[in-house]
Amino acid sequence: MANNTQISATSELFTIRDWIRYAVSQFEASDVFYGHGTDNAYDEAVWLIMSGLHLPMDTLNNFLDARITADERIKLAHFIEQRITKHTPTAYLLKEAWLQGLKFYVDERVLIPRSFIAELLADGLSSWIEFPEMVDSAADICTGSGCLGILLASVLPNAEIDVIDISQDAIDVANINIANYSLQEQVTAIKSDMFTALKGKKYDLIISNPPYVDAPSMAALPQEYQNEPQLALGSGDAGLDHTHTILREAANYLNDDGILIVEIGHNREALEAAYPNIIFNWLEVSSGNEFVFLLTKSQLI
């Protein structure tokens, strides 16, 4: 049943320009939190309205004064209401998220893609992998929607890639994205609690963006993040439980010249304190050099 706000919106707003203005006003007057693809009300509104109408974002200026049908107005009003009242992330409303220019299917079964590792894959990890075409195998541990594994496939053309997650729901979503990019011959989704189902496998490269939110931060997360699978966010009191497992096990699944890349959020200080004998290689990303580390197999041993 539509509420009074929805009825008013659907009867008085007619063009895309009207709806973007309305959405911005509604977001600014609410306590919605951004961080799943945008960082402000305007960009969030443009994304919600344009994708909600199945229009490419870069065609906004062509359609600003296009009139919207009654059914479309009802749908947009519902999206805006859900975004404000339930703090449902726009990515879940639209069933889409973007990473490094690629669109991925997402829903409430998986974390909304966001990773500094995606930035590093944009140049094929050129500082560490001189000949990407010579990489034969790679794995993405804690894959979620499969997005990083699919990005891996775009830069490692000859690699067989496994994307691994403990959640069958995540595996199901990853398989949707693998199929959407016609990568079934190159990328395989495997249900596994970290390494447990990978016996006998060896990789040239292992990447992971595991859960890494510590307990105090989990308790303070905005509602938008609480609407994501909590299994994919929290990792014990210090946020390092999954990383401990990776550091303990990864060497067993790497080829002799293999490398490991792991994202750990804001946990650099705690990680270095826990492993004083390991010299981590911290990789530079847009927000600094404390979020992603690289280790070779020899360093892990």
Side-chain angles (χ1 to χ4, degrees), residues 35-36 98-99 110-121 139-149 151-152 162-166 170 194-195 205-213 225 228-235 239-244 246 260-267 282 285 290-293:
H36 290 105
W98 294 82
L99 201 61
V110 293
L111 204 71
I112 296 165
R114 50 190 182 273
S115 175
F116 290 122
I117 293 175
E119 296 179 20
L120 299 168
L121 295 179
D140 173 22
I141 308 291
C142 303
T143 193
S145 62
C147 56
L148 291 181
L151 289 175
L152 270 179
D162 291 338
V163 295
I164 295 109
D165 204 284
I166 191 175
M194 308 292 281
F195 297 95
L205 170 66
I206 295 174
I207 65 170
S208 185
N209 180 23
Y212 55 63
V213 182
Y225 292 94
E228 294 184 285
Q230 301 302 283
L231 180 70
L233 289 170
S235 191
L240 290 173
D241 285 6
H242 290 76
T243 303
H244 291 319
I246 292 169
L260 169 72
I261 296 174
V262 181
E263 183 168 336
I264 60 156
H266 294 275
N267 297 328
W282 294 98
V285 296
E290 59 185 59
F291 303 101
V292 182
F293 69 78

Side-chain angles (χ1 to χ4, degrees), residues 183-248:
L183 289 170
Q184 297 95 322
E185 297 298 314
Q186 186 181 5
V187 182
T188 302
I190 299 173
K191 183 178 185 297
S192 176
D193 182 359
M194 308 292 281
F195 297 95
T196 55
L198 305 181
K199 300 301 183 198
K201 286 182 170 287
K202 295 277 190 176
Y203 302 100
D204 296 324
L205 170 66
I206 295 174
I207 65 170
S208 185
N209 180 23
Y212 55 63
V213 182
D214 62 32
S217 298
M218 283 292 292
L221 285 175
Q223 183 62 47
E224 279 80 357
Y225 292 94
Q226 294 180 34
N227 285 331
E228 294 184 285
Q230 301 302 283
L231 180 70
L233 289 170
S235 191
D237 290 343
L240 290 173
D241 285 6
H242 290 76
T243 303
H244 291 319
T245 300
I246 292 169
L247 290 173
R248 185 174 63 248

Side-chain angles (χ1 to χ4, degrees), residues 36-255:
H36 290 105
T38 74
D39 60 7
N40 63 83
Y42 175 77
D43 289 341
E44 190 91 0
V46 169
W47 180 24
L48 181 63
I49 302 305
M50 293 296 284
S51 287
L53 295 172
H54 306 292
L55 294 171
M57 231 85 70
D58 58 5
T59 64
L60 173 61
N61 289 335
N62 297 336
F63 290 105
L64 273 173
D65 295 312
R67 292 171 68 87
I68 301 174
T69 69
D71 286 346
E72 289 172 334
R73 296 200 297 271
I74 291 170
K75 180 173 77 167
L76 293 181
H78 175 72
F79 281 169
I80 293 169
E81 183 194 28
Q82 295 296 298
R83 184 69 185 89
I84 292 169
T85 61
K86 295 187 176 180
H87 292 262
T88 305
T90 294
Y92 288 156
L93 294 171
L94 298 172
K95 302 294 188 284
E96 72 172 39
W98 294 82
L99 201 61
Q100 289 299 314
L102 296 183
K103 183 168 78 169
F104 296 97
Y105 174 87
V106 296
D107 59 31
E108 285 83 354
R109 292 176 290 177
V110 293
L111 204 71
I112 296 165
R114 50 190 182 273
S115 175
F116 290 122
I117 293 175
E119 296 179 20
L120 299 168
L121 295 179
D123 73 350
L125 299 169
S126 58
S127 296
W128 292 89
I129 299 176
E130 185 176 1
F131 301 108
E133 66 276 5
M134 295 182 67
V135 176
D136 294 326
S137 57
D140 173 22
I141 308 291
C142 303
T143 193
S145 62
C147 56
L148 291 181
I150 288 169
L151 289 175
L152 270 179
S154 70
V155 298
L156 303 177
N158 298 323
E160 293 184 2
I161 297 165
D162 291 338
V163 295
I164 295 109
D165 204 284
I166 191 175
S167 163
Q168 183 60 51
D169 282 343
I171 294 300
D172 293 341
V173 172
N175 276 322
I176 291 172
N177 286 310
I178 291 167
N180 285 347
Y181 282 97
S182 301
L183 289 170
Q184 297 95 322
E185 297 298 314
Q186 186 181 5
V187 182
T188 302
I190 299 173
K191 183 178 185 297
S192 176
D193 182 359
M194 308 292 281
F195 297 95
T196 55
L198 305 181
K199 300 301 183 198
K201 286 182 170 287
K202 295 277 190 176
Y203 302 100
D204 296 324
L205 170 66
I206 295 174
I207 65 170
S208 185
N209 180 23
Y212 55 63
V213 182
D214 62 32
S217 298
M218 283 292 292
L221 285 175
Q223 183 62 47
E224 279 80 357
Y225 292 94
Q226 294 180 34
N227 285 331
E228 294 184 285
Q230 301 302 283
L231 180 70
L233 289 170
S235 191
D237 290 343
L240 290 173
D241 285 6
H242 290 76
T243 303
H244 291 319
T245 300
I246 292 169
L247 290 173
R248 185 174 63 248
E249 298 288 339
N252 299 321
Y253 300 90
L254 283 170
N255 290 320

